[in-house]
Coordinates of all heavy atoms in Angstrom, one line a residue:
G8 N -0.8 6.5 12.6 CA 0.4 7.2 12.3 C 1.3 6.6 11.3 O 2.4 7.0 11.1
G9 N 0.8 5.5 10.6 CA 1.5 4.9 9.6 C 1.9 5.7 8.3 O 1.0 6.7 8.1
E10 N 3.0 5.5 7.7 CA 3.3 6.2 6.5 C 3.3 5.3 5.3 O 3.8 4.1 5.4 CB 4.6 6.9 6.7 CG 4.6 8.0 7.8 CD 5.9 8.7 7.8 OE1 6.6 9.0 6.8 OE2 6.4 8.9 9.0
L11 N 2.8 5.7 4.2 CA 2.8 4.9 2.9 C 3.7 5.6 2.0 O 3.5 6.7 1.6 CB 1.4 4.9 2.4 CG 1.3 4.1 1.1 CD1 1.8 2.6 1.2 CD2 -0.1 4.1 0.5
W12 N 4.8 4.9 1.8 CA 5.9 5.4 0.8 C 5.8 4.8 -0.5 O 5.7 3.6 -0.6 CB 7.3 5.3 1.4 CG 7.5 6.1 2.7 CD1 6.7 7.0 3.3 CD2 8.6 5.9 3.6 NE1 7.2 7.4 4.6 CE2 8.4 6.7 4.7 CE3 9.8 5.1 3.5 CZ2 9.4 6.9 5.7 CZ3 10.7 5.2 4.6 CH2 10.5 6.1 5.6
L13 N 5.8 5.5 -1.6 CA 5.8 5.1 -2.9 C 7.1 5.2 -3.7 O 7.7 6.3 -3.7 CB 4.7 5.7 -3.7 CG 3.3 5.8 -3.0 CD1 2.3 6.6 -3.9 CD2 2.8 4.4 -2.7
C14 N 7.6 4.2 -4.3 CA 8.9 4.3 -5.0 C 8.8 5.1 -6.2 O 7.8 4.9 -7.1 CB 9.3 2.8 -5.4 SG 10.5 2.7 -6.7
P15 N 9.6 6.1 -6.4 CA 9.4 7.1 -7.5 C 9.7 6.4 -8.8 O 9.0 6.7 -9.8 CB 10.4 8.2 -7.2 CG 11.4 7.6 -6.2 CD 10.6 6.5 -5.5
I16 N 10.7 5.6 -8.9 CA 10.9 4.9 -10.2 C 9.9 4.0 -10.6 O 9.4 4.0 -11.8 CB 12.2 4.1 -10.1 CG1 13.4 5.0 -9.9 CG2 12.4 3.3 -11.3 CD1 14.8 4.3 -9.6
C17 N 9.1 3.4 -9.7 CA 7.9 2.5 -9.9 C 6.8 3.3 -10.4 O 6.0 2.9 -11.3 CB 7.6 1.7 -8.7 SG 9.0 0.6 -8.2
L18 N 6.7 4.5 -9.8 CA 5.6 5.4 -10.3 C 5.8 5.8 -11.7 O 4.9 5.8 -12.6 CB 5.5 6.6 -9.4 CG 4.8 6.4 -8.0 CD1 5.1 7.6 -7.1 CD2 3.4 6.1 -8.0
V19 N 7.0 6.3 -12.0 CA 7.3 6.8 -13.4 C 7.2 5.7 -14.3 O 6.6 5.8 -15.5 CB 8.7 7.4 -13.4 CG1 9.3 7.6 -14.8 CG2 8.8 8.6 -12.5
S20 N 7.6 4.5 -14.0 CA 7.6 3.4 -15.1 C 6.1 2.9 -15.4 O 5.9 2.2 -16.4 CB 8.4 2.2 -14.6 OG 7.7 1.6 -13.4
R21 N 5.2 3.4 -14.5 CA 3.9 3.1 -14.8 C 3.0 4.4 -15.2 O 1.8 4.3 -15.1 CB 3.2 2.5 -13.5 CG 3.7 1.1 -13.4 CD 3.5 0.6 -11.9 NE 4.1 -0.8 -11.8 CZ 5.4 -1.2 -11.7 NH1 6.3 -0.2 -11.7 NH2 5.7 -2.4 -11.7
D22 N 3.7 5.4 -15.5 CA 3.1 6.7 -15.8 C 2.2 7.2 -14.7 O 1.1 7.8 -15.0 CB 2.4 6.7 -17.2 CG 3.4 6.5 -18.3 OD1 4.4 7.2 -18.2 OD2 3.0 5.8 -19.3
L23 N 2.5 7.0 -13.4 CA 1.7 7.4 -12.3 C 2.2 8.5 -11.5 O 1.7 8.9 -10.5 CB 1.5 6.2 -11.4 CG 0.7 5.0 -12.0 CD1 0.6 3.8 -11.1 CD2 -0.7 5.5 -12.4
Q24 N 3.4 9.1 -11.9 CA 4.0 10.1 -11.2 C 3.2 11.4 -10.9 O 3.3 12.0 -9.9 CB 5.4 10.5 -11.8 CG 5.3 11.1 -13.1 CD 5.3 10.3 -14.3 OE1 5.0 9.1 -14.2 NE2 5.4 10.9 -15.5
D25 N 2.3 11.6 -11.8 CA 1.4 12.8 -11.6 C 0.0 12.5 -11.3 O -0.9 13.4 -11.1 CB 1.3 13.6 -13.0 CG 2.7 14.1 -13.4 OD1 3.4 14.5 -12.4 OD2 3.0 14.2 -14.6
A26 N -0.3 11.2 -10.9 CA -1.5 10.7 -10.5 C -1.9 11.3 -9.2 O -1.1 11.5 -8.3 CB -1.7 9.2 -10.6
E27 N -3.2 11.6 -8.9 CA -3.6 11.9 -7.6 C -3.3 10.7 -6.6 O -3.3 9.5 -6.9 CB -5.2 12.1 -7.5 CG -5.6 12.5 -6.2 CD -7.2 12.6 -6.2 OE1 -7.9 12.6 -7.3 OE2 -7.7 12.8 -5.1
K28 N -2.9 11.0 -5.4 CA -2.5 10.1 -4.4 C -3.3 10.3 -3.1 O -3.7 11.4 -2.9 CB -1.0 10.1 -4.1 CG -0.2 9.8 -5.4 CD 1.3 10.1 -5.3 CE 2.0 9.9 -6.6 NZ 1.6 10.8 -7.7
V29 N -3.4 9.2 -2.3 CA -4.1 9.4 -1.0 C -3.2 10.3 -0.2 O -2.0 10.4 -0.3 CB -4.3 8.0 -0.4 CG1 -5.3 7.2 -1.2 CG2 -3.0 7.3 -0.1
A30 N -3.8 11.0 0.8 CA -3.2 11.9 1.6 C -2.0 11.4 2.3 O -1.0 12.2 2.6 CB -4.2 12.5 2.7
V31 N -2.0 10.2 2.8 CA -0.9 9.6 3.5 C 0.3 9.2 2.7 O 1.4 8.9 3.2 CB -1.4 8.4 4.4 CG1 -1.7 7.3 3.6 CG2 -0.4 8.1 5.5
A32 N 0.1 9.2 1.4 CA 1.2 8.7 0.5 C 2.2 9.7 0.3 O 1.9 10.8 0.1 CB 0.6 8.3 -0.8
K33 N 3.6 9.3 0.3 CA 4.6 10.1 0.1 C 5.5 9.4 -1.1 O 5.7 8.2 -1.0 CB 5.5 10.4 1.4 CG 4.8 11.1 2.5 CD 5.7 11.2 3.6 CE 5.0 11.8 4.9 NZ 5.8 11.7 5.9
V34 N 6.1 10.2 -1.9 CA 7.1 9.6 -2.8 C 8.5 9.6 -2.2 O 8.9 10.7 -1.8 CB 7.1 10.4 -4.2 CG1 8.0 9.8 -5.1 CG2 5.7 10.4 -4.8
V35 N 8.9 8.4 -2.0 CA 10.2 8.3 -1.3 C 11.1 7.2 -2.0 O 10.6 6.0 -2.1 CB 10.0 7.8 0.3 CG1 11.2 7.6 1.0 CG2 9.1 8.8 1.0
G36 N 12.3 7.6 -2.2 CA 13.2 6.7 -2.9 C 13.9 5.8 -2.0 O 13.8 5.9 -0.8
A37 N 14.8 5.0 -2.5 CA 15.6 4.0 -1.8 C 16.6 4.6 -0.7 O 16.6 4.3 0.4 CB 16.3 3.1 -2.7
T38 N 17.2 5.8 -1.3 CA 18.1 6.4 -0.3 C 17.5 6.9 1.0 O 17.9 6.6 2.1 CB 18.9 7.5 -1.0 OG1 19.6 7.0 -2.1 CG2 19.9 8.2 -0.1
P39 N 16.4 7.7 0.9 CA 15.7 8.2 2.2 C 15.2 7.0 2.9 O 15.2 7.1 4.2 CB 14.7 9.0 1.6 CG 14.9 9.4 0.3 CD 15.8 8.4 -0.3
M40 N 14.7 6.0 2.3 CA 14.2 4.8 3.0 C 15.3 4.1 3.8 O 15.1 3.8 4.9 CB 13.6 3.8 2.0 CG 12.9 2.6 2.7 SD 14.0 1.2 2.9 CE 14.4 0.8 1.3
L41 N 16.4 4.0 3.1 CA 17.6 3.4 3.8 C 18.1 4.2 5.0 O 18.6 3.7 5.9 CB 18.6 3.0 2.9 CG 18.4 1.9 2.0 CD1 19.4 1.7 0.8 CD2 18.2 0.6 2.7

């Protein structure tokens, strides 16, 4: 039941925002994480 959250700014800065992601990955920023 673990969740893998990916920083959206980090994805964008690496041109990975549109890359395919594993099923468990979610794009989650600092505010929702906090």
Side-chain angles (χ1 to χ4, degrees):
E10 296 183 38
L11 178 59
W12 296 351
L13 309 178
C14 167
I16 293 172
C17 302
L18 288 168
V19 169
S20 69
R21 288 158 180 79
D22 292 324
L23 297 173
Q24 67 273 17
D25 296 324
E27 179 184 353
K28 296 166 188 68
V29 296
V31 70
K33 299 177 186 175
V34 179
V35 177
T38 299
M40 184 271 298
L41 288 170

